[in-house]
Amino acid sequence: MKAQRDIAAIAQRLDPFLLKHWRFILAAAEEGSFRRAADRLGVQQSTLSRRIRDIEDAMGATLFSRSHAGVRPTFAGRRLLGPAREILAQASQAALAVERAGTAQDGVLRIGLPPITSGARLTQLLHRFLQVCPHVRVELVDTDPASQCQAARRHELDVVIQAGASALKGEAGLDLWNEPVLIVMAERDVLAGSPAIDLDELAGRRFIFMAGDPALPVFLNLLAHVPNACFSVEPLARETNLLQLVALGQGLTLTTVSVSSHAPVTCRPLTGQGLPLGAVWSRSNPNPALTRFLSVARELRKYLGHRCAVRT
């Protein structure tokens, strides 16, 4: 207990001293001269000498023996050199870690994924971000949109990619792009002969979906604009079973990515329609990786908008 009190007392006496004062001690020991140490550190010799004397007074021990030939660490001084180097090394590592985190060179970015199966554009966005911030770890979270938004408010998620409106009350939002919608149909379906499908061509058609599909509310909202469309939600466990029903002509279904199946089905894009994707985040989230991610997202949005403008 006495040793702990002694250490605490010494630490308290050393509180006024800065990291640069420990550098004074190391430089003096390595150079063997206060003058050369001061020249090396770019300070006045009197300043360096005075600060080392202050440390000696605080510790109650002489750290350097002084002579006309220069200075040499005493036994007590030599005992101090190792811990002084550790202090400076740890301080440098801490400063580097803070700098890397503060400039998004390091850290974690937690992203909530949309309920739909995202296509190549989201992959492109993540790829571009990791090119800019290769040391940031990206975590992808796939839960229901409501809980994702709550998690973003608590900063448990940094950003949420949503289908539909891109902003929530009290939060920040950014429109990203429209995710293409594909109509999945039997190969012999009358619509299979068209390269693309207009929304009014789906009037009166039947659609089938899987129970529990997180994208179901998004797709049903889109079908609300189709006259006389009907739909059924089937208690299916796998997408392959849904595609079998489509192949049998029991109805159409929707997706945002091309399907790969042994069932005789085909996909056609829905003309002029897409599911708008947006990013939502908390305005008070301080994560610098989020700032860089949003910057990359804006650049990609501008690039995609330019390509669409060129094509039209």
Side-chain angles (χ1 to χ4, degrees):
M1 292 294 294
K2 182 179 183 302
Q4 291 179 348
R5 288 196 298 269
D6 291 343
I7 292 174
I10 293 173
Q12 187 174 8
R13 291 198 301 271
L14 292 178
D15 275 349
F17 299 107
L18 305 175
L19 288 175
K20 66 180 181 180
H21 300 146
W22 299 109
R23 294 191 180 94
F24 291 173
I25 293 173
L26 288 178
E30 292 167 359
E31 296 293 339
S33 163
F34 285 166
R35 179 182 58 79
R36 289 195 296 270
D39 290 342
R40 170 174 144 183
L41 297 176
V43 298
Q44 295 292 326
Q45 178 181 339
S46 59
T47 299
L48 183 141
S49 177
R50 183 170 59 254
R51 291 308 180 195
I52 290 178
R53 177 67 71 184
D54 291 341
I55 294 175
E56 291 176 324
D57 291 342
M59 289 186 169
T62 300
L63 302 179
F64 291 93
S65 60
R66 297 155 172 86
S67 68
H68 294 296
V71 297
R72 288 191 307 166
T74 62
F75 175 75
R78 290 194 297 273
R79 293 290 299 271
L80 183 64
L81 296 181
R85 290 190 178 96
E86 291 181 8
I87 289 172
L88 292 174
Q90 291 175 3
S92 297
Q93 291 172 1
L96 179 61
V98 170
E99 180 185 8
R100 290 178 65 86
T103 56
Q105 299 179 53
D106 209 342
V108 180
L109 181 71
R110 300 175 181 87
I111 303 174
L113 295 178
I116 64 172
T117 301
S118 302
R121 290 176 178 174
L122 182 56
T123 302
Q124 186 179 4
L125 171 57
L126 295 175
H127 179 68
R128 287 192 175 198
F129 171 73
L130 289 175
Q131 285 181 320
V132 175
C133 303
H135 299 292
V136 172
R137 187 174 81 254
V138 173
E139 295 182 359
L140 302 179
V141 180
D142 186 7
T143 56
D144 65 278
S147 62
Q148 285 186 358
C149 292
Q150 292 297 325
R153 291 190 178 99
R154 297 190 299 267
H155 300 177
E156 295 169 4
L157 287 178
D158 295 300
V159 62
V160 176
I161 308 299
Q162 280 194 330
S166 63
L168 295 175
K169 185 177 181 180
E171 308 299 334
L174 174 68
D175 293 328
L176 293 175
W177 56 76
N178 284 345
E179 198 72 27
V181 176
L182 301 177
I183 310 296
V184 186
M185 66 196 72
E187 288 183 344
R188 66 178 186 278
D189 193 284
V190 64
L191 296 177
S194 302
I197 309 299
D198 292 327
L199 199 63
D200 56 8
E201 294 182 78
L202 301 176
R205 296 299 300 263
R206 181 173 183 266
F207 291 83
I208 50 179
F209 299 98
M210 288 176 54
D213 184 352
L216 183 57
V218 177
F219 288 143
L220 293 183
N221 182 64
L222 179 62
L223 290 179
H225 303 284
V226 178
N228 301 319
C230 61
F231 66 90
S232 65
V233 179
E234 304 294 338
L236 303 173
R238 292 178 297 187
E239 184 185 64
T240 52
N241 295 332
L242 174 65
L243 296 179
Q244 287 291 346
L245 291 177
V246 172
L248 291 172
Q250 298 300 301
L252 311 175
T253 194
L254 302 179
T255 184
T256 52
V257 293
S258 296
V259 297
S260 176
S261 171
H262 296 296
V265 297
T266 188
C267 297
R268 295 293 183 269
L270 190 57
T271 304
Q273 295 292 325
L275 293 178
L277 290 190
V280 178
W281 67 96
S282 170
R283 296 182 189 276
S284 60
N285 190 323
N287 189 351
L290 170 61
T291 303
R292 297 300 295 273
F293 176 81
L294 295 173
S295 176
V296 173
R298 291 185 180 96
E299 291 176 3
L300 179 59
R301 184 181 67 165
K302 185 183 302 184
Y303 169 74
L304 293 173
H306 174 70
R307 289 187 63 190
C308 292
V310 170
R311 287 176 179 173
T312 58

